[in-house]
């Protein structure tokens, strides 16, 4: 059994960008410590995760395990869960962080590719829905029972952002609704959507306003303090909330 000072995480898309920075900052924490199951589609190429696994500088206080997960593949999602269970053993999953996503195109509602729309929906909402369903017994055994679904301000209708990135925005708004349903279906869980802000990653681009380290330290401050009263909410990385 894990001690009260140690938590377990499954993070998807952990090989780069925000997922990698989440893994880094969690592993750097000494009290509490964290066991991070870092999921990525090509573990052999995940050199930054391997560097964390083999770090001898003392900067890594927690434990990291790398598992294969291609969220565009149902078979891969189904195969990942027993691998996660084997790592956890008797422990439950305290935090499931559905981070992996794609935003390959700035399309519009009257000019989009139908196959691309379906791919985006599969990766950005189908995959987190299925992974979370399959992880249910692991979450039920977790002490925190937190589900974080990475969303975007582009998912907000209330922010009135306009027509850009239509397929991505539709997928993230659907993810928001999924999260609301998860929160209502399981009042004993904490299910939230979280916008990391505009972050300098491959997706955010070099013109973004936040460094990954700043976004992620905010995210972790929000996520590790969540209570059931926060479930079903649409948070930003700094703890404020977006309109739906
Ligand atoms: N950056 C921003 O400004 C911003 C703003 C709002 C919301 N977000 C959200 O924040 C989350 C992280 O974004 P990011 O900026 O870190 O993006 P990123 O730098 O583009 O990284 C995306 C991650 O998702 C993974 N991924 C994509 N397709 C995958 C697949 N089929 N199977 C497994 N993994 C897959 C990538 O893995 P590979 O290396 O294998 O491709 C990578 O690890 C996403 O949910 C995104 O929508 C980001």
């Amino acid at each position: 059994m894990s001690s009260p000072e140690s938590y377990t995480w499954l993070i998807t898309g952990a090989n780069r960008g925000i997922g990698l920075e989440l893994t880094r900052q969690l592993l750097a924490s000494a009290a509490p410590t964290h066991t991070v199951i870092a999921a990525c589609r090509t573990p052999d190429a995940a050199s930054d995760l391997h560097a964390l696994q083999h770090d001898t500088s003392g900067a890594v206080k927690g434990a990291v395990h790398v598992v294969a997960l291609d969220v565009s593949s149902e078979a891969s999602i189904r195969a990942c869960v027993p691998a996660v269970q084997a790592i956890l053993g008797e422990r439950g999953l305290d935090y499931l962080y559905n981070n992996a996503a794609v935003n390959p195109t700035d399309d519009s509602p009257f000019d989009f590719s139908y196959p691309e729309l379906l791919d985006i929906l599969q990766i950005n909402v189908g995959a987190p829905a299925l992974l979370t369903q399959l992880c249910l017994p692991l979450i039920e055994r977790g002490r925190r029972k937190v589900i974080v679904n990475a969303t975007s301000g582009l998912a907000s209708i209330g922010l009135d952002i306009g027509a850009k990135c239509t397929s991505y925005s539709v997928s993230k708004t659907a993810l928001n609704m999924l999260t609301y349903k998860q929160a209502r279906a399981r009042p004993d869980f904490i299910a939230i959507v979280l916008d990391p802000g505009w972050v300098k990653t491959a997706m955010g681009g070099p013109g973004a306003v936040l460094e990954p380290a700043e976004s992620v330290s905010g995210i972790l401050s929000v996520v590790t303090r969540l209570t059931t009263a926060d479930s079903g909410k649409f948070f930003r990385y700094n703890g404020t909330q977006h309109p739906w």
Side-chain angles (χ1 to χ4, degrees), residues 13-19 40-42 69-72 98-102 123 150-153 168 172 195-199 201-204 208:
N15 56 309
R16 61 183 169 95
I18 292 166
C40 59
R41 67 176 135 183
T42 319
L69 174 60
D70 178 346
V71 294
S72 69
N98 286 302
N99 168 75
V102 291
I123 290 170
T151 191
S152 165
Y168 175 78
K172 292 292 189 178
D195 170 16
W198 188 20
V199 188
T201 62
M203 188 183 292

